[in-house]
Amino acid sequence: MSLFADVVFPLPLPQAFTYSVPEQLRETVRPGLQVRAPLGKKTARGFIVRVHDQPLAPAAIKDIDSVLEAERIIPADILDLAGRLSRRNHSSWGAFLRSAAWPAESESQTRASLTEAGRRALAGGELSGEEGKIAALLAVKTYSPAHFKKRTVAVNGAAVLARLIRKGLAETAVREKTVRRRTAAAVRPSPVQLDLDFSLDEAARRAAARIDGAIAEGRTLSALFVGSSARRASAYLQCIRDTLARGRQVLFLYPEIGMSKAVSGALASGLGERAVLLHSRLTGRERQDALRCVESLPAAVIAGPRSALFTPLPRLGLIIVDEESDESYVQAENPAYDARVGARWRAAAARIPIVLGSDAPTVESYQRAVRDGSLLEIAGNGDSAVAVLLDDRRERGLLAGPLVERIRSSLAAGRRIILFVRRKGFASFLLCPRCGHVPRCPRCNIALTYFQKNRRLQCRYCNESRPAPGSCPRCGGRILEPRGAGLEAVEEELKRIFPGARAAGFDSERVRTRAEREKVLERFAGGAVNVLVGTPLLAHQAGVAPASLVAVLNPEHGLGFSDFQAAQRTYVDIRRFLRFCDTADPAAEAVLQTSLPDHPVLRAAAAGDYAAFYREEIEFRRILGYPPFAALAEIGFWGRDAQALTRLAADLAAGLREAGIPDVLGPSPVQSRGQRGVQIVAKAATAETLDEPLSRLLAGVRVRKTVVRFD
DNA sequence: AGCACGCCGACT
DNA sequence: GTCGGCGTGCTC
């Protein structure tokens, strides 16, 4: 009897492909095996997900080419997890498995580079416009030709590259990158200083005991730790030690890859050599070493951002998801998934506990924890800053009078100050008062940000920059007014009122590299800078010295959006900003300067009163039938032909209604990162009633699509 | 994601 | 007349 294997590939392909198994591989093939198989004109690396004897494929069946990494089979639990997530998110199964696999022994990649003639032409200034731009990029390092297809690089980068190649100024070469194998003996975790001094109060001790009990009994438990990051850290550490003591592994997820250094430091100081970091920026060799390290340690904590979820761990005893309300856990595309959902599924399948932790959790998690009796408060009094709400509706300047006074006294006392401003640049757009014209990016169709320091307009998506016009390009009006004050404007006003202040701006323009960021933060910690004016970028930094005055300008910003998560996002963001307020300093102050000083979300966020926020928000979700009381999907279609996309989306909406889903909104035009598309939003009582028709209807859709699911 | 096929604009 | 740009469809 002949044997067949279904293979999925780490490409944006929804389906599995059926191959016949050649005689010599009959004994080797099994689900989870990494193989090379012919696909189109080439061969591709893929993963066997099923072995069977029914050749149901419509087309001619080809043989599997060869087996890769025969000793590293992806275990069944990971295969299932990836499969379930791909079905929920209508994305590629194989794409998930790449995060689970060992790095392939050799990986070939095509790279474009400049030829000698190209370098001479560039140096001689012979290249202009797009050609010059791309040649300049290639002069620094090589890129994959696909990189130039992105609209952010150039309008038509691929064509420009082709032209450079035709002129003999650039070339492409296939580079074979091999990952050298090391022997296990060569791999050693780096030794670290153990810092055994950590304290645990009664609430945290009880929470940890509850988790350890679940591990001992081999049952799943989805707990929510609510408390400050310091308290969570000590509770986590206790849970981790307990789990390691049982000879089991811990998977520790944190939101962003940028936090890796801080997280590994904290874990290493508490756990020594038993902490291993896994993230997507590791090289093949580093990843291999890390995985070998995991294999050689009987019990360890494996930490990483969302992609670490797929690490095969045979002795997994506990999953921790820190900062669970951080939206970085949601990946919108290629493949789309919510790592928190995946983590819950993995814990349930493995019959182990999962700990979600935050000081401002999502209402979805909070509601679930309250319902299941697994809410574990580890907060203490005085952990979190309480902010004053300042009404700025009658103010004429950018900084409200009472805020100016607080800045004055803080400066006089030699204290550190942080101001958060949402927008970078001087103004978020220019407006012609005569005809209402707003200069937009021709490529992205969004209003251009105005930078006063060099009098230029810049697109915040594609970074294209141009000189600001002196008069209105449409009606010829004499002036264009700056509207929507940004970071530069606040900085300027601050320096005008307090000429002696040593202020530094912290946005993606000013601090581009890691070194620059660290330098500014060092100067702030040391006192060389005493006022830090930052965009939300600053709120995502680790190692910012706590300030005695933290002010957030216009925190109500997101509340105007018609998004069911707007209130939650606002609450979470505000609490994130206020974390920079030094709670150890009794004189420390926090300020929210807003035009909505009576808004319940802002009041709750200012007070750090999560319970108050939750009461309001869960009622809103219940009444309007939003998650966690319903399953919701946001489906986006992306491309150029708006009419075709709208037709496609309308068909989908009609199909969903026909399938018995009453709540379908749209199609409505959307814009994301400068791309245009249409979106529909569908709500259903349960996940099953939503996902089944959605998969069926999306199966034939060819355009680029994104699906974000909530429940 | 690649790669081939097929349709419209500017050129030796 | 063709060369070659990119929109569309397919890969077991």
Side-chain angles (χ1 to χ4, degrees):
Chain A
M1 189 175 36
S2 30
L3 201 58
F4 301 93
D6 289 356
V7 177
V8 295
F9 295 92
L11 303 173
L13 295 170
Q15 76 275 44
F17 293 82
T18 303
Y19 291 88
S20 48
V21 177
E23 199 51 44
Q24 70 276 15
L25 293 180
R26 280 187 78 93
E27 302 303 315
T28 324
V29 290
R30 47 186 286 202
L33 188 70
Q34 225 183 127
V35 294
R36 189 160 273 288
L39 185 70
K41 294 269 163 184
K42 305 174 93 179
T43 77
R45 179 165 79 110
F47 305 91
I48 295 182
V49 292
R50 195 168 78 98
V51 178
H52 58 93
D53 54 18
Q54 308 123 34
L56 292 172
I61 293 191
K62 295 181 183 169
D63 268 7
I64 283 176
D65 212 78
S66 57
V67 164
L68 306 166
E69 302 292 328
E71 293 81 48
R72 314 287 181 186
I73 306 272
I74 295 172
D77 62 332
I78 300 296
L79 228 45
D80 287 350
L81 176 69
R84 281 182 72 188
L85 281 172
S86 74
R87 266 168 267 133
R88 174 186 151 106
N89 295 282
H90 316 278
S91 52
S92 158
W93 191 346
F96 289 113
L97 294 177
R98 195 172 27 187
S99 314
W102 269 65
E105 210 156 329
S106 78
E107 200 108 13
S108 66
Q109 44 185 211
T110 313
R111 287 283 150 133
S113 56
L114 278 191
T115 60
E116 248 334 290
R119 286 186 192 282
R120 275 199 304 274
L122 182 68
E126 296 165 34
L127 299 172
S128 59
E130 300 269 85
E131 287 189 1
K133 220 161 88 184
I134 283 178
L137 284 172
L138 288 172
V140 181
K141 63 181 195 127
T142 65
Y143 288 91
S144 107
H147 180 254
F148 299 106
K149 286 188 185 166
K150 294 182 199 154
R151 288 271 188 281
T152 47
V153 183
V155 178
N156 189 359
V160 179
L161 177 65
R163 202 158 61 228
L164 287 173
I165 291 172
R166 210 165 345 106
K167 290 182 183 172
L169 303 177
E171 62 191 351
T172 59
V174 178
R175 201 169 62 182
E176 201 67 28
K177 271 183 73 176
T178 55
V179 177
R180 273 231 323 278
R181 300 283 124 151
R182 282 202 220 179
T183 59
V187 181
R188 272 284 135 68
S190 43
V192 286
Q193 193 73 44
L194 268 186
D195 169 16
L196 289 170
D197 178 34
F198 76 102
S199 55
L200 204 59
D201 67 15
E202 193 44 38
R205 202 182 304 278
R206 271 203 307 275
R210 184 87 189 273
I211 300 306
D212 194 45
I215 299 174
E217 292 166 30
R219 65 187 161 84
T220 189
L221 166 71
S222 179
L224 180 63
F225 283 13
V226 180
S228 67
S229 71
R231 283 178 196 272
R232 292 200 311 277
S234 67
Y236 292 156
L237 219 44
Q238 184 59 46
C239 292
I240 293 170
R241 286 163 193 269
D242 290 345
T243 313
L244 297 184
R246 292 184 180 278
R248 306 282 291 273
Q249 296 156 318
V250 180
L251 177 60
F252 183 95
L253 301 181
Y254 51 86
E256 281 172 68
I257 198 163
M259 297 166 57
S260 298
K261 211 176 147 192
V263 170
S264 74
L267 288 173
S269 72
L271 301 160
E273 299 183 346
R274 293 174 298 172
V276 181
L277 220 58
L278 272 176
H279 55 74
S280 56
R281 286 207 201 126
L282 296 179
T283 63
R285 161 75 78 91
E286 287 168 335
R287 179 171 169 79
Q288 203 191 119
D289 287 353
L291 289 172
R292 234 192 252 293
C293 203
V294 172
E295 281 180 345
S296 67
L297 290 164
V301 51
I302 292 83
R306 55 181 184 253
S307 63
L309 170 67
F310 301 98
T311 314
L313 298 168
R315 295 176 302 281
L316 185 59
L318 172 65
I319 302 178
I320 299 171
V321 181
D322 192 33
E323 301 280 8
E324 71 93 27
S325 52
D326 196 308
E327 295 192 351
S328 304
Y329 283 118
V330 180
Q331 179 162 306
E333 226 182 326
N334 294 327
Y337 69 111
D338 184 336
R340 296 165 298 192
V341 172
R344 277 210 307 278
W345 285 354
R346 187 167 181 182
R351 281 186 266 121
I352 57 167
I354 174 169
V355 171
L356 304 173
S358 177
D359 53 356
T362 60
V363 294
E364 289 89 340
S365 295
Y366 200 85
Q367 194 256 3
R368 197 174 289 119
V370 169
R371 186 193 65 199
D372 298 346
S374 58
L375 175 66
L376 301 170
E377 302 263 5
I378 51 174
N381 287 333
D383 276 359
S384 54
V386 172
V388 173
L389 284 154
L390 288 184
D391 186 348
D392 68 359
R393 282 172 295 186
R394 298 259 170 88
E395 296 288 342
R396 298 180 59 204
L398 297 176
L399 300 168
L403 175 56
V404 171
E405 287 321 305
R406 283 174 167 86
I407 294 173
R408 191 186 308 284
S409 53
S410 269
L411 284 176
R415 298 197 166 111
R416 276 189 296 268
I417 300 168
I418 297 180
L419 299 180
F420 283 107
V421 185
R422 192 159 293 274
R423 295 169 287 240
K424 62 184 190 182
F426 185 84
S428 44
F429 59 97
L430 290 181
L431 173 78
C432 170
R434 202 163 91 181
C435 72
H437 175 70
V438 173
R440 292 177 173 276
C441 175
R443 203 183 303 167
C444 309
N445 195 38
I446 58 154
L448 292 162
T449 304
Y450 176 58
F451 287 79
Q452 183 148 65
K453 60 173 192 288
N454 52 10
R455 302 195 171 274
R456 290 180 80 84
L457 288 167
Q458 191 178 348
C459 172
R460 61 177 202 278
Y461 290 138
C462 69
N463 286 332
E464 178 88 0
S465 139
R466 64 188 61 209
S471 58
C472 175
R474 193 163 79 184
C475 73
R478 278 204 344 275
I479 46 161
L480 287 166
E481 286 177 1
R483 291 289 176 92
L487 186 139
E488 263 187 22
V490 171
E491 219 182 318
E492 199 181 286
E493 176 145 321
L494 187 81
K495 283 180 176 158
R496 189 177 53 77
I497 305 173
F498 303 106
R502 297 181 302 277
F506 198 101
D507 63 6
S508 53
E509 291 303 310
R510 225 76 61 80
V511 285
R512 287 177 178 277
T513 65
R514 186 198 192 100
E516 281 172 341
R517 285 196 292 272
E518 280 172 3
K519 194 173 157 211
V520 173
L521 295 181
E522 247 168 58
R523 287 165 57 82
F524 185 58
V529 164
N530 54 4
V531 188
L532 211 47
V533 189
T535 59
L537 176 80
L538 175 61
H540 289 265
Q541 293 300 308
V544 182
S548 296
L549 175 61
V550 172
V552 185
L553 303 188
N554 306 111
E556 73 281 3
H557 170 82
L559 288 171
F561 298 136
S562 63
D563 174 338
F564 79 96
Q565 296 194 101
Q568 174 157 298
R569 231 176 245 148
T570 302
Y571 185 92
V572 169
D573 281 355
I574 291 174
R575 290 315 307 179
R576 187 194 276 277
F577 294 141
L578 296 183
R579 279 208 297 238
F580 293 89
C581 188
D582 190 359
T583 46
D585 175 1
E589 288 182 294
V591 170
L592 305 182
Q593 179 184 314
T594 174
S595 53
L596 299 173
D598 297 317
H599 196 289
V601 172
L602 299 188
R603 296 185 79 99
D609 186 351
Y610 184 79
F613 161 72
Y614 176 74
R615 274 196 305 276
E616 288 255 349
E617 182 63 9
I618 203 72
E619 247 342 85
F620 159 77
R621 302 276 186 102
R622 191 197 311 276
I623 290 165
L624 292 174
Y626 279 117
F629 302 104
L632 186 145
E634 291 172 359
I635 305 109
F637 291 149
W638 307 91
R640 289 206 174 162
D641 188 346
Q643 276 194 350
L645 295 177
T646 307
R647 234 179 355 258
L648 224 53
D651 287 349
L652 174 62
L656 288 170
R657 285 197 196 92
E658 214 168 291
I661 296 169
D663 278 334
V664 187
L665 263 67
S668 46
V670 281
Q671 232 177 72
S672 169
R673 313 175 91 248
Q675 305 259 333
R676 276 187 268 189
V678 296
Q679 180 183 268
I680 69 171
V681 177
K683 276 193 296 177
T686 64
E688 296 74 46
T689 51
L690 180 59
D691 286 333
E692 188 280 318
L694 198 51
S695 311
R696 185 162 44 77
L697 293 162
L698 284 175
V701 175
R702 290 273 166 236
V703 296
R704 192 164 82 81
K705 61 175 187 284
T706 54
V707 179
V708 186
R709 278 276 284 101
F710 305 88
D711 45 16

